[in-house]
Amino acid sequence: MTHNGEDTAPLRRPEVTELRLAADGAGLEFSSAPEPAQLPHDRSQAILEAAKEIGSLLKRAGHPFALAGSVAVYAHGGSRYLQHDADFAILPDDAEAVAVTLSEAGLPVRTPPEDWLLKTTCHGQNIDIIFALAHQPVTRDMLDRAHVLPVDSVLMPVLSPTDLIRSLISAFSEHYCDFGSVLPVARAVREKVDWDEVRTTCGGQPMPAAFLFLLERLNVIDAQEGQP
């Protein structure tokens, strides 16, 4: 409602700026608002930088290894959206030597309660150095099957798609069964995976079998011969 043609809506107050004493003490002066903080660093790129650094260290030291986890999926053509950490598979007998290599490079090495990995930090990102995947020791054969691929311009061995999928779905159990996180991975690498090999090695376990059935029903993979 208005009176005498004047709008009665309250006037907006101007944006408040910082007040401070003028340099000559004569009074107050206005200063502009502080510059906005720098935008957060691209987390995915930070993880890739950390993976490249660790991979280069392991290569120079001559340690057999293969990139695993989400960065391996990216190397095989999957999503670049990385929001966790980088994983490297090494031989169990090499764990101590790898720890020395990382320590000599100035990286912190931690031994968590789990007895199947070491942890370190690089470029502010967490790195897992794993010597057992899905409760099975990393083997020389597994590392020999790795594909040498560029990881954001740095060549390094990467777990084969078949071993990668097998390690992910073999980890499913009654206590951990996140099909949603592995489904995009299966879609990304499905044409590169030996699904018969995956079925043979872990398809007899209840949770992996359920995931394989889901992939069939979603037409991600073909149904096994003799099955509807």
Side-chain angles (χ1 to χ4, degrees):
M1 182 177 179
T2 59
H3 295 276
N4 299 325
E6 295 180 355
D7 192 344
T8 58
L11 295 175
R12 294 184 60 188
R13 298 180 62 184
E15 185 177 348
V16 177
T17 54
E18 182 183 355
L19 289 173
R20 67 185 183 193
L21 286 174
D24 59 3
L28 297 173
E29 68 178 7
F30 291 93
S31 67
S32 60
E35 291 292 326
Q38 187 176 3
L39 290 175
H41 185 64
D42 181 343
R43 178 74 186 280
S44 295
Q45 187 60 44
I47 293 173
L48 287 175
E49 293 297 329
K52 292 192 296 182
E53 183 74 19
I54 298 297
S56 296
L57 284 172
L58 297 178
K59 281 171 61 177
R60 286 197 297 269
H63 299 300
F65 74 95
L67 184 65
S70 61
V71 187
V73 177
Y74 163 74
H76 281 296
S79 171
R80 187 185 178 278
Y81 184 70
L82 312 172
Q83 290 297 312
H84 296 291
D85 51 22
D87 302 322
F88 289 84
I90 64 168
L91 297 173
D93 290 344
D94 288 346
E96 185 174 348
V98 168
V100 170
T101 294
L102 298 175
S103 295
E104 289 178 347
L107 299 176
V109 179
R110 303 181 298 280
T111 304
E114 300 85 357
D115 60 358
W116 45 270
L117 82 164
L118 302 171
K119 288 182 173 288
T120 188
T121 305
C122 182
H123 295 299
Q125 306 304 312
N126 294 323
I127 307 292
D128 288 347
I129 308 296
I130 300 168
F131 34 92
L133 289 169
H135 312 296
Q136 296 295 321
V138 174
T139 64
R140 175 72 67 170
D141 286 344
M142 182 184 294
L143 299 185
D144 287 344
R145 288 192 296 267
H147 300 183
V148 177
L149 299 172
V151 179
D152 201 28
S153 79
V154 174
L155 288 173
M156 67 180 74
V158 180
L159 278 184
S160 74
T162 300
D163 284 325
L164 185 58
I165 287 292
R166 182 165 41 203
S167 69
L168 291 173
I169 70 174
S170 292
F172 290 149
S173 69
E174 291 84 355
H175 303 290
Y176 170 79
C177 197
D178 185 4
F179 287 0
S181 65
V182 183
L183 180 56
V185 177
R187 289 185 186 277
V189 300
R190 60 183 175 180
E191 295 179 355
K192 303 176 182 179
V193 173
D194 184 341
W195 292 104
D196 289 337
E197 176 69 16
V198 172
R199 287 188 176 100
T200 298
T201 53
C202 59
Q205 305 168 40
M207 299 305 173
F211 183 71
L212 291 170
F213 176 72
L214 175 64
L215 294 183
E216 293 173 1
R217 291 299 302 270
L218 294 175
N219 294 319
V220 175
I221 63 175
D222 294 331
Q224 193 172 13
E225 274 191 47
Q227 298 297 321

